[in-house]
Amino acid sequence: MMQPVKDLFRAREATRPVIIGLLLLTAVGAAIAVLTKQWCRVNGWPDAEQHLHMCYSDFTQLFGTRGMADKLFPYFTGLPAEQALEYPVLLAIIAGLTAMAIPGIGFSPERQLAYFDLNSALSFVCWAVIVVAVAYAARHRSRDAIMVALAPGIILTSQLNWDLWAVMLAMLGLLAFSRKHIVLAGVLLGLGAAAKLYPFFLFGAILVLCLRTGRMRHFWVSLGSGVAAWLAINVPFMLTAFDEWSRFYTFSGDRPAGNSSMWLAFVWTGMDGSTMSYLSNGLFGIACLGIAYLGLTAKRRPRMAQLAFLIVAAFLLLGKVYSPQFVMWLIPLYVLARPKWREFLLWQGIEVFHWVFVWLWSAKWVSGLKYFGDSWAIEILYGIGIVAHMAMLTYICVKIIGDIRHPERDVVRAEGDDDPLAGPLEGLEDKFVLGRKATSQA
């Protein structure tokens, strides 16, 4: 019985048995995910207790507070502004359509549970698609997709929000690019950006690689396709419900520093959310320029996944808000950029620690100090979790930068590939390298 498991851990190509094995492991991960939310599935989602039992979900929270239980479609509810759904269009569509699919009307515990279960099931489908996409994108290292199938960060956060839809579209976009489907890649990334902003940043990695190879047409075609897809989803809502459509952007700009963000350390300065947004965006822009400089000066062209991970990690480290489910954005990119099990497990262990104290801290304050009383132990441990998860993410970025500067250390290239995600750019000679003469990638 153990032989199939051993074969999977040694697998290279994404053959049919490997894909079946990965899907079975993903089903195991999903089953564990369900168990982590079982208290709430049985007892409902009471205010403080859902935090104490770490089974809070935006699915259930928004179903009852944003009019969806009454089958009011997001952006067209007629509810007060404070009850508007502050989400990008594609996620709002998914949230609204799944609410329409729940029999009956009005809020009840039974309908709330049905809504949670339906969206959880769809998130698990997204998870399975991501695992398969990573297996194919990893080429000769399909076994690395096991990390995605059993990632603690996904197990714990897959039912917290709709983020896995964006992650799925982002990974399918990168897979399409790796298969030389440039237009499809752009469309998928554009749809991903209509769900969460971060898939749009992946065009930055494409831009750097296209600059180095002198194939800018691939960048413009993919970007143009992405913009067209984003507009196709957004324009109808921009024209018919502009105030509600724009709430995501105004809310994101004005909101104060969120939990687990580095900007919490600067709340004492009195800076408002808008000022923090300007500073955060400015620092992210500088970080992107630094990543571009790294990519354009490296002696060997960086791999797509390496650049993509650095860009998204910079956004999360410097962002004004860090929600626990954001770790899912990075997990597939890490597996493609730097698939090292020990490092991965250490990172995920730290994220689990952070996750636990996010919710215990929240339970303490939502309950009005009913839980944990006046003790500052929870705050201290929560602070340690924030510092630890940011330090670990920074460490991974440093190691990936080292892999770019010293490509002989790259475990993916040790398999004999140039860049599995580079698609039409793979193996091409460099045409533009800052500070040195362009050379072949061979």
Side-chain angles (χ1 to χ4, degrees):
M1 292 179 63
M2 294 299 295
Q3 191 59 42
V5 176
K6 292 179 180 178
D7 291 343
L8 182 57
F9 274 85
R10 291 195 298 260
R12 288 176 56 83
E13 305 295 337
T15 60
R16 183 176 179 182
V18 168
I19 295 301
I20 292 174
L22 288 169
L23 290 176
L24 289 174
L25 289 182
T26 307
V28 171
I32 298 172
V34 171
L35 292 176
T36 66
K37 303 298 183 285
Q38 192 62 16
W39 189 91
C40 283
R41 294 191 71 259
V42 173
N43 299 284
W45 281 265
D47 285 342
E49 285 75 11
Q50 64 178 323
H51 297 264
L52 182 67
H53 292 276
M54 306 177 205
C55 51
Y56 170 90
S57 174
D58 285 339
F59 297 158
T60 55
Q61 177 72 14
L62 299 178
F63 180 69
T65 61
R66 298 300 193 268
M68 290 185 288
D70 297 316
K71 296 191 183 293
L72 300 178
F73 202 79
Y75 296 178
F76 300 99
T77 62
L79 294 172
E82 61 270 15
Q83 287 184 261
L85 187 65
E86 62 275 14
Y87 277 32
V89 167
L90 189 54
L91 292 194
I93 291 173
I94 294 167
L97 290 178
T98 51
M100 294 291 181
I102 304 301
I105 192 168
F107 181 84
S108 69
E110 294 76 17
R111 295 190 75 238
Q112 182 185 43
L113 177 59
Y115 186 71
F116 174 81
D117 285 346
L118 174 58
N119 280 286
S120 295
L122 292 175
S123 291
F124 294 154
V125 172
C126 293
W127 185 358
V129 173
I130 293 164
V131 169
V132 174
V134 169
Y136 281 111
R139 197 178 293 175
H140 300 314
R141 296 185 60 96
S142 62
R143 61 189 179 277
D144 293 336
I146 296 171
M147 297 185 199
V148 184
L150 296 175
I154 300 180
I155 289 172
L156 290 176
T157 65
S158 56
Q159 300 169 90
L160 180 55
N161 200 284
W162 290 271
D163 286 60
L164 277 176
W165 287 87
V167 179
M168 177 185 69
L169 290 166
M171 295 315 303
L172 288 175
L174 292 179
L175 178 61
F177 194 90
S178 76
R179 298 302 176 92
K180 304 180 182 181
H181 301 303
I182 310 303
V183 172
L184 178 60
V187 168
L188 290 166
L189 292 176
L191 292 175
K196 286 283 182 176
L197 186 58
Y198 96 89
F200 179 78
F201 302 145
L202 302 183
F203 285 112
I206 297 174
L207 172 60
V208 171
L209 298 183
C210 287
L211 278 170
R212 282 197 61 145
T213 56
R215 301 298 178 92
M216 287 300 296
R217 178 180 177 276
H218 295 318
F219 169 73
W220 293 118
V221 169
S222 63
L223 179 63
S225 302
V227 171
W230 187 90
L231 289 173
I233 295 292
N234 280 268
V235 166
F237 293 87
M238 294 167 66
L239 295 177
T240 58
F242 183 82
D243 289 343
E244 292 79 5
W245 170 85
S246 63
R247 177 162 173 74
F248 165 71
Y249 302 97
T250 56
F251 175 76
S252 298
D254 296 338
R255 70 186 297 182
N259 298 333
S260 300
S261 163
M262 77 168 195
W263 294 97
L264 281 178
F266 298 96
V267 170
W268 64 272
T269 65
M271 281 191 293
D272 60 16
S274 179
T275 301
M276 287 186 178
S277 289
Y278 285 121
L279 291 173
S280 171
N281 294 337
L283 289 174
F284 176 58
I286 293 171
C288 287
L289 290 176
I291 295 167
Y293 179 82
L294 171 69
L296 294 173
T297 57
K299 62 182 180 182
R300 184 170 183 181
R301 194 162 61 242
R303 291 188 294 106
M304 178 83 75
Q306 294 171 323
L307 294 172
F309 184 95
L310 292 176
I311 293 168
V312 177
F315 178 71
L316 294 182
L317 285 169
L318 300 171
K320 193 174 61 174
V321 176
Y322 182 86
S323 297
Q325 74 270 16
F326 289 177
V327 69
M328 295 191 295
W329 301 3
L330 289 170
I331 288 171
L333 294 176
Y334 174 86
V335 171
L336 293 171
R338 185 177 161 83
K340 295 202 171 189
W341 270 99
R342 290 184 182 179
E343 187 175 274
F344 177 75
L345 292 175
L346 176 60
W347 173 37
Q348 292 299 289
I350 290 171
E351 290 292 343
V352 170
F353 180 89
H354 172 250
W355 162 271
V356 168
F357 288 101
V358 163
W359 296 113
L360 295 184
W361 174 83
S362 181
K364 174 180 177 177
W365 292 102
V366 171
S367 69
L369 305 185
K370 173 184 175 182
Y371 299 115
F372 311 111
D374 295 328
S375 171
W376 284 89
I378 294 297
E379 280 78 3
I380 292 171
L381 291 168
Y382 177 38
I384 291 172
I386 295 173
V387 172
H389 99 81
M390 293 187 69
M392 186 63 198
L393 184 51
T394 302
Y395 171 82
I396 293 173
C397 289
V398 170
K399 299 301 287 187
I400 289 176
I401 291 170
D403 291 342
I404 291 173
R405 286 300 189 189
H406 303 280
E408 66 277 4
R409 302 176 186 173
D410 188 341
V411 296
V412 173
R413 280 185 161 141
E415 298 284 341
D417 293 322
D418 172 32
D419 181 357
L421 290 181
L425 308 176
E426 185 177 13
L428 295 181
E429 291 186 358
D430 283 325
K431 302 296 184 183
F432 175 72
V433 183
L434 284 176
R436 69 180 68 222
K437 184 179 179 180
T439 57
S440 171
Q441 294 296 299

